[in-house]
Amino acid sequence: RYRAVAGPDAPPSLYELRCHALRDELVARGVLTADAVRAGIERIEAPGLHLGARIVARAWTDPAFRARILADGMAACREYDVPFLDGRLTIIANEPTVHNVVVCTLCSCYPRNLLGQPPAWYVGKAYRARTVREPRAVLAEMGTVLPPHVGIRVHDSTADLRYMILPLRPPGTAGWEAARLETLVTRDSLIGVALARRPER
């Protein structure tokens, strides 16, 4: 896996410590309750990659739906009744000769309503800085080696605009039902650092 960022066992950062201290102070002063904080965290983490995977699987099997969500990413949220409070959503389809990858160079903007919490490496400085400079090398380090003829486009998320990648449908999946196709979609493929693949036999 990608080793240029701190692992899950790394000590909390200064910003995390500040966040915890602020939360504790607000609870102590009665501005928030511990239950309210817990409920907020659960609401953020409740989405999960299953929503993004469901959208992708349907796009692979429903050309009209695919066209709608590529024209307006918010259409996917509306059709699945997913509240999207983080500005706009753009869904970008990979092509045989173009691979797309998402980064947030300023902080950690990410479509949490569809994918849940971002992975630790996504918010790390190494990924944010290197992906815009040497995306092919970063993807290779994460196990995604693309042929030279495949170009890479990097999309920078902002506070007003989030991205989700529509990966290429793996070959050999013709006739698969949507539920089975969903199992091929990973969080990393929705960010663009991995491909959707059939499991190896």
Side-chain angles (χ1 to χ4, degrees):
R1 297 304 300 160
Y2 192 48
R3 299 179 180 176
V5 296
D9 297 327
S13 68
L14 176 61
Y15 297 105
E16 289 174 313
L17 292 172
R18 286 177 177 172
C19 181
H20 294 321
L22 177 60
R23 176 202 61 200
D24 292 345
E25 185 65 20
L26 291 172
V27 170
R29 294 185 180 209
V31 177
L32 291 174
T33 66
D35 286 341
V37 173
R38 188 177 306 107
I41 293 172
E42 290 175 354
R43 186 170 59 251
I44 291 172
E45 294 181 343
L49 99 93
H50 61 280
L51 290 171
R54 191 175 304 159
I55 290 168
V56 168
R58 182 174 169 192
W60 284 345
T61 57
D62 183 344
F65 176 74
R66 174 189 171 94
R68 287 198 300 276
I69 66 171
L70 292 181
D72 175 13
M74 298 299 289
C77 299
R78 290 191 294 269
E79 295 205 24
Y80 284 93
D81 197 25
V82 177
F84 200 86
L85 308 176
D86 299 322
R88 295 178 293 123
L89 173 69
T90 295
I91 297 176
I92 302 171
N94 282 341
E95 302 169 12
T97 58
V98 179
H99 183 87
N100 297 280
V101 62
V102 181
V103 67
C104 178
T105 55
L106 292 179
C107 52
S108 58
C109 296
Y110 185 82
R112 288 172 170 82
N113 294 63
L114 292 178
L115 307 184
Q117 291 291 80
W121 50 260
Y122 182 86
V123 304
K125 287 184 178 179
Y127 176 80
R128 292 189 284 122
R130 291 186 57 215
T131 301
V132 296
R133 294 197 316 265
E134 46 182 358
R136 194 174 296 274
V138 170
L139 265 59
E141 289 172 20
M142 300 183 80
T144 303
V145 179
L146 299 172
H149 73 275
V150 176
I152 302 175
R153 292 178 184 163
V154 179
H155 303 272
D156 192 1
S157 286
T158 69
D160 300 319
L161 177 61
R162 303 289 198 270
Y163 292 98
M164 188 181 89
I165 303 303
L166 175 58
L168 288 171
R169 180 171 176 168
T173 60
W176 287 27
E177 295 181 354
R180 189 179 180 191
L181 290 170
E182 286 180 30
T183 66
L184 307 182
V185 182
T186 64
R187 175 201 64 198
D188 288 3
S189 69
L190 297 172
I191 297 172
V193 298
L195 305 176
R197 303 179 188 274
R198 287 187 61 182
E200 296 181 3
R201 295 180 179 178

